[in-house]
Amino acid sequence: MRIAVAGGTGTVGRHVVVIARERGHRVVSLSRTEGVDLVTGRGLDQALQNVETVIDVAGIQAISTKKAVDFFTNATQNLLAAEKKAGVTQHVVLSIVGIDKANSGLYAGKLVQEDEVKHGGIPWTLIRSTQFHEFVPMSIKAASLGPLVFVPTMFTQPVAAKEVAAALVNAAEAGPKGRIPDLGGPRKEQLKGLVAAYLAKTQQKKRIVPLRVPGPMGKAMRKGELIPAPGSAVGRQTFLEWLDAIDAV
């Protein structure tokens, strides 16, 4: 089929593009670097010509609830409107495990996105995943202050971005199914331990400072409410296996 990947240059999107092409699908990537702006709608109508399925993995790095909600509201509404005009028959969207337990920041934006998709008039499939392995270096970069890195007390079950991408392509091939089982990695971990392992691997001499995040978000992190429930789909690659496969930077 002809597939458009919103966020096709991102952490998961680039894997979606490669996997879909390897399986013989015709793929177009939607990103600002490729002339498509989801927030303004620029380039969408042209990019979606003859597209049958859209896989939406577009995202934003935002702590602000308003910024996240505005992004996902505008981007999703524009995408769905352009899909209707183009005759798209399926919308596959990636979301995050546990977002209904912590309705703030990025999670608030993803909840809005889910609601827009469910009521957007295009047959849909929704899959929630846990954080990717790449979340660890991203969080270190965002939470470092000189030689210190502030790490929230958090249970996580990180999953390989490539495995999430494969699940999304599988979903596209299977046709619209509504919400399908959540996907997480093979091991429940403490974020602090993952950060320590990454710092050691990459020879970064930083001191970890535990951070107790306040409010519903922090409670969900500490109680393990951001990991998949029993019976969810489970990936294969552990964080340490992923870490062993990357080069030190």
Side-chain angles (χ1 to χ4, degrees), residues 136 140 144 147 149 151 192-208 239 243:
V136 174
I140 292 171
S144 287
V149 57
V151 180
K192 179 181 177 181
L194 303 182
V195 169
Y198 187 86
L199 291 174
K201 168 74 175 182
T202 55
Q203 301 177 14
Q204 297 183 60
K205 299 188 185 306
K206 289 181 179 288
R207 182 163 69 88
I208 295 173
F239 178 79
L243 196 56

Side-chain angles (χ1 to χ4, degrees), residues 7 19 31 67 86 99 114 132 145 148 157 172 178 206 220 240 249:
I19 292 169
S31 70
K67 188 175 180 181
I99 58 175
E114 289 189 2
F132 320 126
L145 185 62
L148 306 178
Q157 198 166 315
K206 289 181 179 288
L240 291 181
V249 294

Side-chain angles (χ1 to χ4, degrees), residues 31-133:
S31 70
R32 279 178 295 185
T33 58
E34 293 154 319
V36 178
D37 190 325
L38 298 179
V39 175
T40 65
R42 176 175 59 88
L44 264 178
D45 288 346
Q46 183 177 2
L48 291 184
Q49 288 181 8
N50 302 315
V51 166
E52 300 161 74
T53 295
V54 169
I55 299 177
D56 184 6
V57 290
I60 184 175
Q61 292 186 31
I63 297 175
S64 163
T65 297
K66 183 180 186 305
K67 188 175 180 181
V69 168
D70 287 349
F71 171 82
F72 284 108
T73 299
N74 293 332
T76 308
Q77 288 180 350
N78 287 337
L79 193 52
L80 291 169
E83 288 174 21
K84 287 179 182 177
K85 282 195 266 184
V88 171
T89 57
Q90 179 181 201
H91 184 98
V92 179
V93 63
L94 176 64
S95 192
I96 307 172
V97 170
I99 58 175
D100 38 10
K101 303 288 186 180
N103 188 11
S104 64
L106 178 65
Y107 285 23
K110 296 298 286 186
L111 272 175
V112 168
Q113 180 189 38
E114 289 189 2
D115 189 63
E116 292 286 351
V117 169
K118 290 174 184 177
H119 299 95
I122 303 291
W124 54 275
T125 299
L126 185 154
I127 180 171
R128 290 180 176 181
S129 85
T130 53
Q131 288 76 24
F132 320 126
H133 298 318

